[in-house]
């Protein structure tokens, strides 16, 4: 039953995660978890099933396979790991990794790409300026494209969903207006746009000129990009962007710069 | 004047950052910035001086040397980089990198160490269990120590300051109580302690038993660790911890789990 369901979901390209006990009281026990569906099978303890399935769905969303350690009843914080037998669970995700498309090969791009790679994203960097958009500057990116936003979003937009992110770091209306237009036409879960509050206000005028005026569209644009945590360096900004993506994806009320006022740098 | 001040600060082991224009209208112009002191020199434009010094102090705090690009008057968001001459500034930090000591070689440790390395930390992983605390499991760490918290904090505590962090991920009172005691005796800027709200409540009882009762001490403990952004995977948790460290360091009012109620996982 578990294996036929697993095969069926893989064949239909739907995400699914298989958990197998590889060390502990029930070696070989399996549990199959899928987003928004009940789990199948058991690892031998209902509380362990609940906790491990929750964690496994997180791993699945990141498109990652891993080994997790629990107490016999799903303790993730055992008071003393030395005195408690550990259940080791192999968590096998069947899911393409989420994508992050970064428009703009700027100072912030490399730091964002590095942090996104830690989070398991397939990272695409895109800029029309071929001296900046090079694999040598962005060795950590999965792809570096020298082109404009339209062809990228036309070719790949249909594949973008809630797990995916577009980050527009260009600061250039010739580049970021079409990037925003193209991203709004997709179901991508996160659209972040870098720039000061003043830049964003000017950008909104340009968006109005090209007919982007609906509040449901404008509400999707996270600009200024990232959380209001006082980031200064590109790396700190990358952390604030990724923290915003995580929080928004799970519906947390996070302190986005886009939802606040006042200076970004204090 | 600039170089004698630079030499003086380096000799006295105080942090200082030297900015030099390497491309643009004033190649060779220099500016020297130090935390809490006025800058010396100029890059040729007072607004550029202000913005570049601010960014350079961020780089200095991360102990990093880099090249930054600005518009002629310090624009970080030039409307069109193609039509604006760029000022390239070489930012040379004279400062040891900040340290992060992670107690506990657990599932979350490798992810936290990876993100901390992106932020420029010198990362030390410490656990008394030699099968877990290995360089093979934590190749990204600068040091992996098989020992207890006391000797580490006794030997290194005096060097820990506001830029540094201690993250206690052990979940084991035999390990985390001495790690907390030792950390509270230092001036380290951040002390994060992993664990559920229930675990933290029990831990507070144990801390009381060993005489840690002052609210100014207990207020320094960030537990549960990290921001309330709904993190599930170790990598997402690492982002939430680092976002908390950044926000606390600059005094931002960030949504720490330690300052809220309610479930960590929803």
């Amino acid at each position: 039953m578990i294996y036929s369901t697993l095969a069926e979901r893989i064949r239909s390209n739907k995400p699914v995660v298989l958990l197998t006990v590889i060390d502990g009281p029930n070696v070989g026990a399996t549990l199959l978890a899928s987003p928004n569906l009940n789990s199948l099978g058991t690892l031998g303890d209902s509380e362990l099933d609940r906790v491990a399935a929750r964690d496994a769905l997180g791993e699945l969303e990141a498109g990652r396979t891993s080994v997790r350690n629990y107490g016999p009843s799903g303790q993730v914080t055992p008071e003393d790991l030395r005195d408690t037998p550990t259940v080791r669970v192999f968590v096998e995700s069947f899911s393409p990794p989420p994508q992050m498309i970064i428009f703009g090969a700027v100072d912030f791009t490399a730091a964002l790409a590095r942090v996104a790679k830690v989070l398991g994203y397939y990272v695409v960097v895109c800029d029309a300026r071929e001296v900046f958009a090079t694999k040598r500057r962005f060795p950590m990116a999965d792809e570096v494209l020298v082109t404009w936003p339209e062809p990228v979003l036309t070719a790949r937009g249909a594949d973008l969903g809630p797990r995916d992110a577009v980050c527009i770091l260009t600061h250039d209306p010739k580049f970021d207006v079409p990037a925003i237009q193209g991203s709004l036409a997709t179901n991508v879960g996160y659209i972040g746009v870098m720039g000061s509050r003043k830049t964003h206000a000017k950008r909104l005028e340009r968006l109005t000129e090209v007919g982007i005026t609906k509040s449901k569209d404008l509400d999707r644009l996270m600009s200024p990009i990232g959380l209001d945590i006082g980031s200064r360096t590109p790396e700190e900004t990358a952390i604030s962007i990724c923290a915003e993506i995580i929080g928004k994806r799970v519906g947390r009320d996070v302190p986005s710069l886009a939802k606040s006022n006042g200076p970004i740098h204090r």
Side-chain angles (χ1 to χ4, degrees), chain A:
Chain A
M1 173 61 169
I2 283 188
Y3 288 96
S4 64
T5 304
L6 174 64
E8 172 53 31
R9 287 192 68 85
I10 292 172
R11 269 196 296 270
S12 55
N13 229 359
K14 299 214 174 95
V16 62
V17 55
L18 179 67
L19 296 82
T20 308
V21 175
I22 56 171
D23 198 10
N26 294 292
V27 171
T30 55
L31 183 74
L32 191 73
S34 313
N36 306 315
L37 292 175
N38 289 330
S39 301
L40 292 175
T42 179
L43 303 180
D45 179 277
S46 64
E47 191 57 13
L48 174 61
D49 289 347
R50 188 187 68 77
V51 172
R54 179 199 70 201
D55 290 349
L57 290 173
E59 298 286 338
L60 177 63
E61 192 144 311
R64 253 198 338 246
T65 284
S66 65
V67 173
R68 300 295 292 265
N69 298 296
Y70 300 98
S73 297
Q75 297 94 327
V76 284
T77 62
E79 285 298 302
D80 191 341
L81 275 169
R82 261 160 296 194
D83 302 337
T84 311
T86 298
V87 184
R88 287 172 65 77
V89 179
F90 181 56
V91 178
E92 200 172 5
S93 288
F94 297 90
S95 163
Q99 287 185 63
M100 180 184 288
I101 302 181
I102 307 175
F103 289 110
V106 300
D107 284 353
F108 292 84
T109 308
L112 179 56
R114 283 182 74 190
V115 177
K117 287 308 297 175
V118 175
L119 285 168
Y121 282 93
Y122 182 89
V123 175
V124 179
V125 172
C126 172
D127 196 304
R129 301 167 301 173
E130 63 184 306
V131 290
F132 292 119
T134 64
K135 190 73 189 169
R136 199 169 68 84
R137 283 189 76 202
F138 306 106
M140 72 301 283
D142 295 287
E143 291 182 66
V144 179
L145 306 175
V146 182
T147 182
W148 290 83
E150 292 96 327
V152 176
L153 289 165
T154 302
R156 302 175 185 222
D159 291 335
L160 297 176
R163 301 189 310 141
D164 305 309
V166 170
C167 297
I168 301 167
L169 312 184
T170 40
H171 299 310
D172 176 352
K174 286 201 287 298
F175 211 79
D176 64 13
V177 168
I180 290 169
Q181 279 185 294
S183 302
L184 285 172
T186 73
N187 289 322
V188 71
Y190 178 86
I191 307 173
V193 195
M194 185 165 272
S196 65
R197 297 190 190 282
K198 210 167 86 185
T199 302
H200 186 59
K202 279 195 214 156
R203 192 187 286 127
L204 288 177
E205 291 172 25
R206 289 172 191 274
L207 290 174
T208 303
E209 288 165 18
V210 300
I212 298 173
T213 54
K214 288 188 205 138
S215 64
K216 84 168 171 46
D217 281 343
L218 298 176
D219 282 352
R220 289 178 71 191
L221 305 181
M222 303 309 288
S223 182
I225 197 170
L227 294 191
D228 185 14
I229 56 172
S231 296
R232 289 173 302 188
T233 64
E235 289 73 17
E236 291 173 358
T237 303
I239 297 290
S240 90
I241 294 170
C242 290
E244 179 170 75
I245 291 173
I246 295 165
K248 270 187 61 75
R249 203 192 50 215
V250 296
R252 274 297 200 289
D253 184 23
V254 288
S256 290
L257 283 166
K259 307 300 175 198
S260 66
N261 295 302
I264 300 178
H265 304 288
R266 266 173 259 183

